[in-house]
Amino acid sequence: MKRERTVLNFFKRNAAYIILALCVLAIGLSITLVTVSRSERLRLDSAERAEVEVITTPDPADDVPTPVNEPTDVPEVPVVKIISFIMPVEKATAVDDYTETLAYNSTLKRFEAHKAIDFFAEDGAPVYAAYDGVISDVQTTLLTGTTVTIDHGNGLFTVYNSLADGDKVFVGQSVKQGVEIGAASTSNRQESSEGAHLHFQVIENGEVINPAKYLALEEK
């Protein structure tokens, strides 16, 4: 009991100091809490501003357009070259058309197909290359006379028969459209009775075809 009274008397004598100490401690604790709270708030505000800046700041890379992958295997469009022959004989007096049916040959006195166009002209009239090409053959025989063949490429050939001679061109020679390659004559004995002319054939991919496919015959 004596000890309890001693403690009680201590608190009574020092009550004012104890209360003052507790107030100081409370004030210090409040200040500490306020300071910590403010620091935490500042930290959170800074973090929020940084987050907003990251979200709202445009990335320069966003302005760069996304590259479009262009196809690498673009098919090539073939270039179609239109071939048009000039008339191999100027101012022909007459024309004997191409036919696959039987026609009468006055020289041989028989009927046969005429797979060529005959351009009749004066004896010695110039004969011209119908289109650009290379001389692939020049030959002269007793029966057919002189024949010049021009290779135009891609399986297309023109054949000039019943020429006066073959000394104007040679095999391997490149010729341009309109170059003189010979002269009309009666050297083809199979058609000699019909007079001087050019016996003109067209061969396409190994087949004799109608030259009218490449000729503007209305100009004859």
Side-chain angles (χ1 to χ4, degrees):
M1 293 294 293
K2 184 178 179 178
R3 183 178 179 183
E4 292 178 355
R5 284 195 298 267
T6 301
V7 173
L8 181 61
N9 291 330
F10 173 79
F11 278 106
K12 286 180 179 181
R13 288 194 304 270
N14 298 286
Y17 296 105
I18 293 172
I19 292 171
L20 180 62
L22 290 174
C23 289
V24 172
L25 180 62
I27 293 171
L29 182 60
S30 298
I31 293 172
T32 301
L33 290 175
V34 170
T35 302
V36 171
S37 178
R38 182 176 295 177
S39 299
E40 182 65 17
R41 182 59 185 169
L42 290 174
R43 187 184 66 79
L44 291 176
D45 288 345
S46 299
E48 289 176 358
R49 285 196 299 272
E51 183 178 357
V52 171
E53 289 178 358
V54 169
I55 294 174
T56 58
T57 302
D59 188 350
D62 294 340
D63 297 332
V64 180
T66 303
V68 178
N69 292 329
E70 297 183 356
T72 55
D73 298 330
V74 178
E76 294 184 2
V77 178
V79 177
V80 178
K81 186 176 182 180
I82 299 176
I83 296 176
S84 180
F85 291 168
I86 64 167
M87 303 302 289
V89 176
E90 291 183 349
K91 299 178 181 179
T93 57
V95 174
D96 190 4
D97 291 332
Y98 173 99
T99 178
E100 295 182 359
T101 59
L102 297 180
Y104 186 70
N105 184 319
S106 60
T107 302
L108 300 177
K109 295 182 172 38
R110 67 185 185 191
F111 287 90
E112 61 182 6
H114 187 253
K115 295 185 176 182
I117 292 179
D118 288 344
F119 293 91
F120 295 93
E122 294 182 0
D123 195 2
V127 172
Y128 305 101
Y131 196 70
D132 300 348
V134 177
I135 304 296
S136 61
D137 189 41
V138 178
Q139 60 176 293
T140 301
T141 66
L142 182 63
L143 185 62
T144 61
T146 297
T147 302
V148 172
T149 303
I150 300 178
D151 182 357
H152 303 288
N154 297 318
L156 183 64
F157 296 82
T158 49
V159 181
Y160 308 77
N161 174 252
S162 195
L163 299 178
D165 55 54
D167 60 358
K168 292 185 180 295
V169 292
F170 56 88
V171 174
Q173 177 184 350
S174 295
V175 293
K176 290 293 185 180
Q177 187 178 59
V179 169
E180 185 177 348
I181 60 171
S185 75
T186 58
S187 66
N188 185 343
R189 294 177 179 272
Q190 297 178 106
E191 298 177 346
S192 59
S193 66
E194 299 178 15
H197 68 283
L198 167 69
H199 184 83
F200 182 70
Q201 286 185 310
V202 173
I203 300 174
E204 187 176 61
N205 297 322
E207 295 185 8
V208 178
I209 67 167
N210 190 342
K213 177 179 179 180
Y214 296 100
L215 282 170
L217 289 176
E218 64 273 10
E219 297 178 2
K220 67 181 183 291

PDB file of all heavy atoms in Angstrom, residues 69-92:
ATOM      1  N   ASN A  69       3.652  -4.576 -97.610  1.00  0.00           N
ATOM      2  CA  ASN A  69       4.461  -5.578 -98.296  1.00  0.00           C
ATOM      3  C   ASN A  69       3.971  -5.725 -99.723  1.00  0.00           C
ATOM      4  O   ASN A  69       2.875  -6.225 -99.979  1.00  0.00           O
ATOM      5  CB  ASN A  69       4.371  -6.921 -97.564  1.00  0.00           C
ATOM      6  CG  ASN A  69       5.033  -6.866 -96.202  1.00  0.00           C
ATOM      7  OD1 ASN A  69       5.999  -6.128 -96.013  1.00  0.00           O
ATOM      8  ND2 ASN A  69       4.520  -7.629 -95.252  1.00  0.00           N
ATOM      9  N   GLU A  70       4.787  -5.213-100.652  1.00  0.00           N
ATOM     10  CA  GLU A  70       4.425  -5.325-102.052  1.00  0.00           C
ATOM     11  C   GLU A  70       4.733  -6.735-102.548  1.00  0.00           C
ATOM     12  O   GLU A  70       5.730  -7.334-102.156  1.00  0.00           O
ATOM     13  CB  GLU A  70       5.205  -4.306-102.890  1.00  0.00           C
ATOM     14  CG  GLU A  70       4.887  -2.859-102.505  1.00  0.00           C
ATOM     15  CD  GLU A  70       5.626  -1.888-103.392  1.00  0.00           C
ATOM     16  OE1 GLU A  70       6.429  -2.362-104.235  1.00  0.00           O
ATOM     17  OE2 GLU A  70       5.409  -0.673-103.253  1.00  0.00           O
ATOM     18  N   PRO A  71       3.887  -7.245-103.424  1.00  0.00           N
ATOM     19  CA  PRO A  71       4.150  -8.594-103.954  1.00  0.00           C
ATOM     20  C   PRO A  71       5.450  -8.625-104.746  1.00  0.00           C
ATOM     21  O   PRO A  71       5.749  -7.724-105.516  1.00  0.00           O
ATOM     22  CB  PRO A  71       2.945  -8.862-104.871  1.00  0.00           C
ATOM     23  CG  PRO A  71       2.387  -7.499-105.177  1.00  0.00           C
ATOM     24  CD  PRO A  71       2.671  -6.644-103.975  1.00  0.00           C
ATOM     25  N   THR A  72       6.233  -9.631-104.491  1.00  0.00           N
ATOM     26  CA  THR A  72       7.523  -9.745-105.178  1.00  0.00           C
ATOM     27  C   THR A  72       7.398 -10.474-106.509  1.00  0.00           C
ATOM     28  O   THR A  72       8.171 -10.228-107.428  1.00  0.00           O
ATOM     29  CB  THR A  72       8.529 -10.495-104.279  1.00  0.00           C
ATOM     30  OG1 THR A  72       7.965 -11.759-103.897  1.00  0.00           O
ATOM     31  CG2 THR A  72       8.809  -9.682-103.023  1.00  0.00           C
ATOM     32  N   ASP A  73       6.430 -11.370-106.595  1.00  0.00           N
ATOM     33  CA  ASP A  73       6.274 -12.131-107.829  1.00  0.00           C
ATOM     34  C   ASP A  73       5.176 -11.513-108.683  1.00  0.00           C
ATOM     35  O   ASP A  73       4.055 -12.016-108.771  1.00  0.00           O
ATOM     36  CB  ASP A  73       5.934 -13.602-107.525  1.00  0.00           C
ATOM     37  CG  ASP A  73       7.052 -14.281-106.747  1.00  0.00           C
ATOM     38  OD1 ASP A  73       8.202 -13.872-106.947  1.00  0.00           O
ATOM     39  OD2 ASP A  73       6.760 -15.196-105.971  1.00  0.00           O
ATOM     40  N   VAL A  74       5.502 -10.361-109.287  1.00  0.00           N
ATOM     41  CA  VAL A  74       4.534  -9.693-110.156  1.00  0.00           C
ATOM     42  C   VAL A  74       4.649 -10.305-111.549  1.00  0.00           C
ATOM     43  O   VAL A  74       5.717 -10.270-112.172  1.00  0.00           O
ATOM     44  CB  VAL A  74       4.816  -8.179-110.221  1.00  0.00           C
ATOM     45  CG1 VAL A  74       3.828  -7.501-111.158  1.00  0.00           C
ATOM     46  CG2 VAL A  74       4.758  -7.576-108.825  1.00  0.00           C
ATOM     47  N   PRO A  75       3.575 -10.875-112.049  1.00  0.00           N
ATOM     48  CA  PRO A  75       3.657 -11.490-113.376  1.00  0.00           C
ATOM     49  C   PRO A  75       3.907 -10.459-114.458  1.00  0.00           C
ATOM     50  O   PRO A  75       3.343  -9.369-114.446  1.00  0.00           O
ATOM     51  CB  PRO A  75       2.275 -12.151-113.555  1.00  0.00           C
ATOM     52  CG  PRO A  75       1.380 -11.375-112.635  1.00  0.00           C
ATOM     53  CD  PRO A  75       2.243 -10.968-111.459  1.00  0.00           C
ATOM     54  N   GLU A  76       4.799 -10.787-115.355  1.00  0.00           N
ATOM     55  CA  GLU A  76       5.093  -9.886-116.452  1.00  0.00           C
ATOM     56  C   GLU A  76       3.984  -9.962-117.500  1.00  0.00           C
ATOM     57  O   GLU A  76       3.544 -11.042-117.884  1.00  0.00           O
ATOM     58  CB  GLU A  76       6.433 -10.249-117.108  1.00  0.00           C
ATOM     59  CG  GLU A  76       7.623 -10.035-116.187  1.00  0.00           C
ATOM     60  CD  GLU A  76       8.935 -10.307-116.893  1.00  0.00           C
ATOM     61  OE1 GLU A  76       8.877 -10.616-118.109  1.00  0.00           O
ATOM     62  OE2 GLU A  76       9.977 -10.209-116.255  1.00  0.00           O
ATOM     63  N   VAL A  77       3.577  -8.778-117.931  1.00  0.00           N
ATOM     64  CA  VAL A  77       2.543  -8.718-118.960  1.00  0.00           C
ATOM     65  C   VAL A  77       3.221  -8.834-120.316  1.00  0.00           C
ATOM     66  O   VAL A  77       4.087  -8.028-120.664  1.00  0.00           O
ATOM     67  CB  VAL A  77       1.762  -7.389-118.878  1.00  0.00           C
ATOM     68  CG1 VAL A  77       0.717  -7.320-119.987  1.00  0.00           C
ATOM     69  CG2 VAL A  77       1.120  -7.250-117.511  1.00  0.00           C
ATOM     70  N   PRO A  78       2.878  -9.857-121.083  1.00  0.00           N
ATOM     71  CA  PRO A  78       3.518 -10.008-122.382  1.00  0.00           C
ATOM     72  C   PRO A  78       3.186  -8.853-123.318  1.00  0.00           C
ATOM     73  O   PRO A  78       2.055  -8.374-123.363  1.00  0.00           O
ATOM     74  CB  PRO A  78       2.931 -11.333-122.905  1.00  0.00           C
ATOM     75  CG  PRO A  78       1.648 -11.492-122.168  1.00  0.00           C
ATOM     76  CD  PRO A  78       1.868 -10.882-120.816  1.00  0.00           C
ATOM     77  N   VAL A  79       4.214  -8.398-124.028  1.00  0.00           N
ATOM     78  CA  VAL A  79       4.025  -7.317-124.988  1.00  0.00           C
ATOM     79  C   VAL A  79       3.631  -7.923-126.329  1.00  0.00           C
ATOM     80  O   VAL A  79       4.358  -8.727-126.914  1.00  0.00           O
ATOM     81  CB  VAL A  79       5.316  -6.487-125.145  1.00  0.00           C
ATOM     82  CG1 VAL A  79       5.126  -5.403-126.195  1.00  0.00           C
ATOM     83  CG2 VAL A  79       5.716  -5.889-123.811  1.00  0.00           C
ATOM     84  N   VAL A  80       2.460  -7.541-126.788  1.00  0.00           N
ATOM     85  CA  VAL A  80       1.959  -8.063-128.060  1.00  0.00           C
ATOM     86  C   VAL A  80       2.414  -7.124-129.175  1.00  0.00           C
ATOM     87  O   VAL A  80       2.060  -5.946-129.200  1.00  0.00           O
ATOM     88  CB  VAL A  80       0.426  -8.175-128.050  1.00  0.00           C
ATOM     89  CG1 VAL A  80      -0.071  -8.682-129.395  1.00  0.00           C
ATOM     90  CG2 VAL A  80      -0.026  -9.090-126.922  1.00  0.00           C
ATOM     91  N   LYS A  81       3.208  -7.653-130.083  1.00  0.00           N
ATOM     92  CA  LYS A  81       3.716  -6.865-131.195  1.00  0.00           C
ATOM     93  C   LYS A  81       2.872  -7.158-132.432  1.00  0.00           C
ATOM     94  O   LYS A  81       2.753  -8.304-132.858  1.00  0.00           O
ATOM     95  CB  LYS A  81       5.186  -7.210-131.468  1.00  0.00           C
ATOM     96  CG  LYS A  81       5.816  -6.323-132.534  1.00  0.00           C
ATOM     97  CD  LYS A  81       7.289  -6.655-132.696  1.00  0.00           C
ATOM     98  CE  LYS A  81       7.958  -5.753-133.722  1.00  0.00           C
ATOM     99  NZ  LYS A  81       9.391  -6.075-133.890  1.00  0.00           N
ATOM    100  N   ILE A  82       2.274  -6.116-132.967  1.00  0.00           N
ATOM    101  CA  ILE A  82       1.433  -6.271-134.153  1.00  0.00           C
ATOM    102  C   ILE A  82       2.324  -6.253-135.390  1.00  0.00           C
ATOM    103  O   ILE A  82       3.086  -5.316-135.615  1.00  0.00           O
ATOM    104  CB  ILE A  82       0.385  -5.157-134.220  1.00  0.00           C
ATOM    105  CG1 ILE A  82      -0.534  -5.224-132.992  1.00  0.00           C
ATOM    106  CG2 ILE A  82      -0.438  -5.270-135.505  1.00  0.00           C
ATOM    107  CD1 ILE A  82      -1.548  -4.107-132.916  1.00  0.00           C
ATOM    108  N   ILE A  83       2.218  -7.294-136.186  1.00  0.00           N
ATOM    109  CA  ILE A  83       3.018  -7.410-137.405  1.00  0.00           C
ATOM    110  C   ILE A  83       2.150  -7.046-138.601  1.00  0.00           C
ATOM    111  O   ILE A  83       1.051  -7.587-138.777  1.00  0.00           O
ATOM    112  CB  ILE A  83       3.569  -8.835-137.564  1.00  0.00           C
ATOM    113  CG1 ILE A  83       4.528  -9.150-136.405  1.00  0.00           C
ATOM    114  CG2 ILE A  83       4.271  -8.999-138.906  1.00  0.00           C
ATOM    115  CD1 ILE A  83       5.050 -10.560-136.419  1.00  0.00           C
ATOM    116  N   SER A  84       2.642  -6.141-139.398  1.00  0.00           N
ATOM    117  CA  SER A  84       1.920  -5.722-140.604  1.00  0.00           C
ATOM    118  C   SER A  84       2.903  -5.655-141.761  1.00  0.00           C
ATOM    119  O   SER A  84       3.885  -4.909-141.710  1.00  0.00           O
ATOM    120  CB  SER A  84       1.254  -4.360-140.383  1.00  0.00           C
ATOM    121  OG  SER A  84       0.552  -3.953-141.546  1.00  0.00           O
ATOM    122  N   PHE A  85       2.647  -6.445-142.805  1.00  0.00           N
ATOM    123  CA  PHE A  85       3.522  -6.468-143.977  1.00  0.00           C
ATOM    124  C   PHE A  85       3.211  -5.290-144.898  1.00  0.00           C
ATOM    125  O   PHE A  85       2.068  -4.831-144.983  1.00  0.00           O
ATOM    126  CB  PHE A  85       3.324  -7.760-144.767  1.00  0.00           C
ATOM    127  CG  PHE A  85       3.811  -9.001-144.072  1.00  0.00           C
ATOM    128  CD1 PHE A  85       3.468 -10.255-144.566  1.00  0.00           C
ATOM    129  CD2 PHE A  85       4.609  -8.944-142.947  1.00  0.00           C
ATOM    130  CE1 PHE A  85       3.911 -11.407-143.951  1.00  0.00           C
ATOM    131  CE2 PHE A  85       5.065 -10.084-142.325  1.00  0.00           C
ATOM    132  CZ  PHE A  85       4.705 -11.323-142.828  1.00  0.00           C
ATOM    133  N   ILE A  86       4.240  -4.844-145.598  1.00  0.00           N
ATOM    134  CA  ILE A  86       4.000  -3.944-146.724  1.00  0.00           C
ATOM    135  C   ILE A  86       3.822  -4.800-147.976  1.00  0.00           C
ATOM    136  O   ILE A  86       4.137  -6.002-147.972  1.00  0.00           O
ATOM    137  CB  ILE A  86       5.171  -2.950-146.932  1.00  0.00           C
ATOM    138  CG1 ILE A  86       6.463  -3.717-147.323  1.00  0.00           C
ATOM    139  CG2 ILE A  86       5.391  -2.105-145.691  1.00  0.00           C
ATOM    140  CD1 ILE A  86       7.567  -2.821-147.854  1.00  0.00           C
ATOM    141  N   MET A  87       3.303  -4.212-149.025  1.00  0.00           N
ATOM    142  CA  MET A  87       3.149  -4.949-150.276  1.00  0.00           C
ATOM    143  C   MET A  87       4.537  -5.224-150.849  1.00  0.00           C
ATOM    144  O   MET A  87       5.359  -4.312-150.987  1.00  0.00           O
ATOM    145  CB  MET A  87       2.319  -4.145-151.269  1.00  0.00           C
ATOM    146  CG  MET A  87       0.932  -3.770-150.742  1.00  0.00           C
ATOM    147  SD  MET A  87      -0.048  -5.199-150.259  1.00  0.00           S
ATOM    148  CE  MET A  87      -0.392  -5.904-151.845  1.00  0.00           C
ATOM    149  N   PRO A  88       4.838  -6.482-151.180  1.00  0.00           N
ATOM    150  CA  PRO A  88       6.184  -6.798-151.677  1.00  0.00           C
ATOM    151  C   PRO A  88       6.445  -6.311-153.104  1.00  0.00           C
ATOM    152  O   PRO A  88       7.595  -6.250-153.532  1.00  0.00           O
ATOM    153  CB  PRO A  88       6.222  -8.331-151.612  1.00  0.00           C
ATOM    154  CG  PRO A  88       4.791  -8.740-151.690  1.00  0.00           C
ATOM    155  CD  PRO A  88       4.011  -7.683-151.018  1.00  0.00           C
ATOM    156  N   VAL A  89       5.389  -5.968-153.823  1.00  0.00           N
ATOM    157  CA  VAL A  89       5.523  -5.415-155.173  1.00  0.00           C
ATOM    158  C   VAL A  89       4.654  -4.169-155.254  1.00  0.00           C
ATOM    159  O   VAL A  89       3.466  -4.210-154.910  1.00  0.00           O
ATOM    160  CB  VAL A  89       5.081  -6.424-156.256  1.00  0.00           C
ATOM    161  CG1 VAL A  89       5.154  -5.776-157.644  1.00  0.00           C
ATOM    162  CG2 VAL A  89       5.957  -7.674-156.218  1.00  0.00           C
ATOM    163  N   GLU A  90       5.234  -3.068-155.700  1.00  0.00           N
ATOM    164  CA  GLU A  90       4.458  -1.840-155.834  1.00  0.00           C
ATOM    165  C   GLU A  90       3.706  -1.835-157.163  1.00  0.00           C
ATOM    166  O   GLU A  90       4.230  -2.257-158.197  1.00  0.00           O
ATOM    167  CB  GLU A  90       5.378  -0.613-155.766  1.00  0.00           C
ATOM    168  CG  GLU A  90       5.989  -0.369-154.387  1.00  0.00           C
ATOM    169  CD  GLU A  90       6.829   0.893-154.354  1.00  0.00           C
ATOM    170  OE1 GLU A  90       7.113   1.458-155.443  1.00  0.00           O
ATOM    171  OE2 GLU A  90       7.209   1.323-153.252  1.00  0.00           O
ATOM    172  N   LYS A  91       2.476  -1.352-157.106  1.00  0.00           N
ATOM    173  CA  LYS A  91       1.657  -1.149-158.312  1.00  0.00           C
ATOM    174  C   LYS A  91       1.568  -2.420-159.150  1.00  0.00           C
ATOM    175  O   LYS A  91       1.834  -2.423-160.367  1.00  0.00           O
ATOM    176  CB  LYS A  91       2.223  -0.006-159.153  1.00  0.00           C
ATOM    177  CG  LYS A  91       2.236   1.322-158.410  1.00  0.00           C
ATOM    178  CD  LYS A  91       2.842   2.429-159.250  1.00  0.00           C
ATOM    179  CE  LYS A  91       2.861   3.745-158.494  1.00  0.00           C
ATOM    180  NZ  LYS A  91       3.478   4.844-159.288  1.00  0.00           N
ATOM    181  N   ALA A  92       1.218  -3.520-158.472  1.00  0.00           N
ATOM    182  CA  ALA A  92       1.016  -4.773-159.209  1.00  0.00           C
ATOM    183  C   ALA A  92      -0.156  -4.611-160.167  1.00  0.00           C
ATOM    184  O   ALA A  92      -1.173  -3.988-159.848  1.00  0.00           O
ATOM    185  CB  ALA A  92       0.733  -5.896-158.228  1.00  0.00           C
TER     186      ALA A  92
END
